[in-house]
Amino acid sequence: MAGDGVCAGAVHAVKEVWERRIQTLTEDLKREKEFKQKLVRIWEERVSLTRLKEKVTRENGRVILKIEQEEWKTLPSSLLKLNQLQEWQLHRTGLLKIPEFVGRFQNLLVLDLSRNTISEIPRGIGLLTRLQELILSYNKIKTVPKELGSCAGLEKLELAVNRDICELPQELSRLTKLTHLDLSMNSFTAVPPAVLSMPALEWLDLGSNQLQQLPDAIERMQSLHTLWLQRNEIACLPESISRLQSLGTLVLSNNRLQDIPACMGEMPGLRFVNFRDNPLRLDVTLPPAASAEEEGEQELFGLQFMRAYIQEARRQAGARLAPDAGPSSADPTPTDAVPADPASPDLAPADPSSADPDG
């Protein structure tokens, strides 16, 4: 029995020795694998950095990283060594995300990552206080972070053709230098309140969304000179739109408008409008052009059409009111009343065709 115990103890000791050796060997192999992977990453980052350096150019005194139609699904951290960059222009690269470390590029003035597959904007974007242009059109972004409102120097923001953006955080109203905003081809059902509070905004595109109406508060956008609202579901316009004193271009084609407010005829700054493809209730035809040159300048459903439409609406309204202007048939006629002179111009029956066109 004692011999069996000694034998069992020896086997156990040998087993422990082998288990320790196996464990040590496994750990050594794991460390070796991790070291090799680290070397590979270092090598890949060096290669990537070399490739990135080859894409750096200087234009108009700016240092620009420019990549077109070359696959870069992610951007390596080695990019941080190029922190002097002032512009990123990466188009059709398949980029999946904007790296969080983008906020460390304090010299960045333009970030143009349009036509990629980016799904979100990192919160670190708010650290780019000197950024002037952010162009993220033709991506897959669904939400906009409130931190973007901290980009105090932003002048141009393009988020067109992301399809699913339906709201903007109110914090974007802090973008007091923003003059250009493109939100076309998304899923907005109303003009975002933050947009109405952008004091410097001059150019706004909300075309190809799902807008059903414009808010009365649109009159607050006194710097706005160009407004694109084509391909929405707008059925009527608020009278407050006539108080946009700086507005020069207004595009409302492909909506559900049934009328044009008469007050729009009192917008002296308006130079171009488009009401094409709306179910307007009046059928208005422009008068023939006096010359070939004038005909070339005529815009179908443009400014001349709008004025003619308003004039026709006033004429028809005046014609409807004219028969009601005389005395009621229920009024008693005095026995000594003098018969009306049919030739008198003041007492002649109202002729709808002779109503004042200006109403």
Side-chain angles (χ1 to χ4, degrees):
M1 293 293 293
D4 291 343
V6 171
C7 183
V11 170
H12 182 71
V14 170
K15 181 181 178 183
E16 285 184 344
V17 169
W18 275 106
E19 285 178 347
R20 284 196 297 272
R21 287 181 177 178
I22 291 171
Q23 183 179 358
T24 301
L25 180 61
T26 301
E27 291 174 352
D28 288 345
L29 289 171
K30 183 179 178 181
R31 282 193 294 270
E32 183 179 353
K33 183 179 180 181
E34 289 174 349
F35 180 69
K36 287 181 178 179
Q37 289 175 340
K38 185 178 180 180
L39 288 177
V40 170
R41 282 198 302 272
I42 292 172
W43 174 254
E44 286 178 344
E45 290 216 351
R46 286 182 178 177
V47 171
S48 296
L49 182 60
T50 300
R51 288 176 62 200
L52 288 170
K53 285 181 176 178
E54 293 173 353
K55 305 296 181 182
V56 175
T57 63
R58 285 184 178 271
E59 295 180 15
N60 300 320
R62 288 189 181 181
V63 184
I64 303 173
L65 175 64
K66 185 178 292 189
I67 305 177
E68 295 274 352
Q69 296 183 336
E70 185 177 307
E71 187 172 297
W72 286 85
K73 291 188 176 181
T74 59
L75 293 173
S77 57
S78 59
L79 183 59
L80 286 166
K81 295 183 179 179
L82 302 177
N83 60 4
Q84 79 280 13
L85 289 173
Q86 294 170 290
E87 291 190 25
W88 291 10
Q89 296 183 15
L90 280 69
H91 307 145
R92 295 185 174 91
T93 65
L95 188 66
L96 295 171
K97 63 182 295 186
I98 304 171
E100 189 68 39
F101 60 72
V102 70
R104 295 166 65 179
F105 285 80
Q106 289 298 301
N107 293 317
L108 208 56
L109 301 175
V110 176
L111 182 57
D112 183 354
L113 303 177
S114 53
R115 299 184 183 275
N116 285 290
T117 51
I118 298 166
S119 59
E120 63 179 340
I121 304 172
R123 291 182 298 173
I125 199 81
L127 299 173
L128 300 175
T129 55
R130 295 183 61 195
L131 190 67
Q132 296 174 3
E133 297 183 16
L134 178 59
I135 304 174
L136 296 172
S137 299
Y138 292 90
N139 276 285
K140 297 182 178 180
I141 297 165
K142 295 184 178 181
T143 59
V144 178
K146 63 181 181 180
E147 286 78 8
L148 184 59
S150 298
C151 296
L154 201 62
E155 299 173 6
K156 182 176 184 178
L157 175 59
E158 294 193 354
L159 297 170
V161 201
N162 276 280
R163 306 290 181 183
D164 293 325
I165 302 176
C166 61
E167 60 182 0
L168 295 180
Q170 187 58 34
E171 285 79 3
L172 265 62
S173 63
R174 301 202 304 258
L175 299 175
T176 56
K177 294 184 178 180
L178 195 71
T179 61
H180 177 110
L181 178 60
D182 191 347
L183 300 173
S184 60
M185 295 190 72
N186 279 290
S187 298
F188 290 96
T189 57
V191 179
V195 173
L196 299 172
S197 301
M198 294 173 176
L201 198 62
E202 299 176 356
W203 193 98
L204 173 62
D205 192 345
L206 272 164
S208 299
N209 277 278
Q210 299 163 29
L211 303 183
Q212 296 179 5
Q213 61 182 3
L214 299 181
D216 289 331
I218 197 168
E219 64 180 311
R220 291 162 54 188
M221 305 178 72
Q222 286 300 310
S223 298
L224 198 65
H225 66 62
T226 301
L227 180 57
W228 297 80
L229 295 168
Q230 72 283 358
R231 297 186 182 279
N232 278 284
E233 300 169 16
I234 301 169
C236 63
L237 298 173
E239 289 195 2
S240 59
I241 197 170
S242 66
R243 293 191 282 277
L244 292 175
Q245 298 299 316
S246 301
L247 194 64
T249 297
L250 176 61
V251 180
L252 284 158
S253 53
N254 290 95
N255 274 279
R256 297 183 179 178
L257 292 172
Q258 296 183 22
D259 230 335
I260 299 174
C263 59
M264 289 188 66
E266 302 166 8
M267 299 175 70
L270 206 56
R271 295 289 178 267
F272 177 85
V273 294
N274 190 337
F275 287 96
R276 185 186 296 274
D277 295 323
N278 277 280
L280 295 168
R281 65 181 181 85
L282 299 182
D283 186 12
V284 175
T285 304
L286 290 177
S291 64
E293 182 179 348
E294 184 179 327
E295 185 176 1
E297 291 177 357
Q298 276 189 347
E299 285 284 345
L300 286 176
F301 301 98
L303 198 60
Q304 288 176 285
F305 170 82
M306 182 190 79
R307 290 170 178 160
Y309 186 98
I310 292 171
Q311 189 176 42
E312 176 63 14
R314 285 174 172 163
R315 188 194 70 78
Q316 292 193 17
R320 286 194 300 271
L321 291 173
D324 299 330
S328 170
S329 58
D331 291 343
T333 304
T335 56
D336 57 345
V338 178
D341 180 3
S344 172
D346 295 329
L347 299 176
D351 179 3
S353 65
S354 64
D356 182 359
D358 293 327

